Amino acid sequence: GQQVMQIPQYQHVQEGEDFTTYCNSSTTLSNIQWYKQRPGGHPVFLIQLVKSGEVKKQKRLTFQFGEAKKNSSLHITATQTTDVGTYFCAGQMTTDSWGKLQFGAGTQVVVTP
Amino acid sequence: DVKVTQSSRYLVKRTGEKVFLECVQDMDHENMFWYRQDPGLGLRLIYFSYDVKMKEKGDIPEGYSVSREKKERFSLILESASTNQTSMYLCASSLLGAGSSGVDSTDTQYFGPGTRLTVL
């Protein structure tokens, strides 16, 4: 079964509102990455988190890695129409040494103007 | 900029046909991956390769095979296409070499545009 779970699957947001998407792993991760896929496009790397408790920001996006390195979150403030897309988290298991990632099912974000 | 290209954006095949999906990357990356993407299931790894002529099964290898004769090219083969293989197929590459633990950003995966395969 899927080792990396992501919730919610869908997120409808009013423009200007904030929202958070969550990622949980059944096993400890060596690192976690986040990707964004625009409608009709392919996944594009956003950020990687490596350290326990790490927080990184990219403009209105805040990424967090849990203390136990088993969960992560992406928080978007003041959502804009350009944030539309599907956001995937992808974890690298500590047991994997080939750069293999376990992707979550993604959170599809729809923004209402 | 890393460029990953895939041979077709759209492909329509009939049940039982042999299908080849080609992927080429231009950044001398060690690792290459084939995923399929289905609604609600995210990206599921079919096969990956960490070196020329080397391959490893991913989570859903059944019904697929791969070939990596040159470092820049990774092919996905459907020996006998079936309707349940209708999907979006994404190829990716990453710099990480064999045996590395991936604690830095070198294992970022770069994706191709995808091939939407329909099997009738």
Side-chain angles (χ1 to χ4, degrees), chain A residues 31 35 37 48 92 97-98, chain B residues 31 37 100 102 104 107 109:
Chain A
N31 66 80
Y35 291 77
Q37 184 176 26
Q48 177 174 271
Q92 185 172 1
S97 59
W98 306 108
Chain B
N31 287 357
Q37 182 175 16
S100 301
D104 58 23
D107 54 343
Q109 292 192 11

Side-chain angles (χ1 to χ4, degrees), chain B residues 6-118:
Chain B
Q6 294 182 229
S7 49
S8 306
R9 287 303 304 270
Y10 300 94
L11 208 53
V12 180
K13 295 291 182 181
R14 297 207 174 272
T15 302
E17 280 191 82
K18 190 169 186 175
V19 182
F20 292 87
L21 301 182
E22 299 271 309
C23 175
V24 178
Q25 50 94 2
D26 68 354
M27 284 301 290
D28 202 35
H29 281 177
E30 304 287 341
N31 287 357
M32 296 187 76
F33 307 83
W34 274 107
Y35 296 90
R36 63 176 283 176
Q37 182 175 16
D38 300 287
L41 297 177
L43 280 69
R44 292 181 292 165
L45 182 64
I46 304 171
Y47 267 97
F48 68 102
S49 168
Y50 52 87
D51 202 351
V52 175
K53 296 191 187 294
M54 306 303 285
K55 60 186 179 185
E56 290 283 337
K57 291 180 181 179
D59 299 317
I60 51 164
E62 296 79 18
Y64 304 94
S65 62
V66 290
S67 172
R68 194 166 181 201
E69 296 296 318
K70 294 184 178 182
K71 192 175 185 181
E72 68 271 17
R73 189 179 297 269
F74 192 35
S75 301
L76 179 69
I77 303 149
L78 287 66
E79 293 290 341
S80 177
S82 63
T83 54
N84 63 12
Q85 292 178 309
T86 291
S87 186
M88 169 67 84
Y89 289 87
L90 289 162
C91 174
S93 71
S94 71
L95 181 61
L96 192 69
S100 301
S101 60
V103 294
D104 58 23
S105 61
T106 56
D107 54 343
T108 300
Q109 292 192 11
Y110 297 87
F111 286 84
T115 296
R116 185 164 292 283
L117 173 68
T118 302

Side-chain angles (χ1 to χ4, degrees), chain A:
Chain A
Q2 200 146 23
Q3 296 183 49
V4 174
M5 304 300 293
Q6 202 172 341
I7 54 170
Q9 189 174 356
Y10 299 100
Q11 181 78 56
H12 290 250
V13 191
Q14 198 85 26
E15 195 172 10
E17 290 183 342
D18 303 351
F19 76 90
T20 304
T21 174
Y22 300 90
C23 185
N24 295 293
S25 170
S26 55
T27 58
T28 303
L29 302 170
S30 61
N31 66 80
I32 194 158
Q33 299 178 21
W34 285 87
Y35 291 77
K36 178 183 178 181
Q37 184 176 26
R38 294 182 187 275
H42 57 274
V44 174
F45 173 79
L46 291 176
I47 208 158
Q48 177 174 271
L49 304 169
V50 178
K51 299 175 186 174
S52 169
E54 189 170 13
V55 178
K56 286 188 176 180
K57 291 191 175 185
Q58 284 182 352
K59 296 183 180 177
R60 295 177 294 101
L61 278 61
T62 302
F63 303 84
Q64 191 164 4
F65 201 9
E67 293 290 339
K69 300 184 76 172
K70 294 177 80 171
N71 57 70
S72 181
S73 65
L74 160 59
H75 181 78
I76 299 183
T77 58
T79 306
Q80 299 177 359
T81 54
T82 52
D83 296 323
V84 163
T86 301
Y87 293 82
F88 294 98
C89 62
Q92 185 172 1
M93 306 297 159
T94 53
T95 50
D96 282 331
S97 59
W98 306 108
K100 197 172 84 168
L101 297 173
Q102 287 283 345
F103 280 82
T107 294
Q108 186 178 344
V109 175
V110 175
V111 180
T112 308

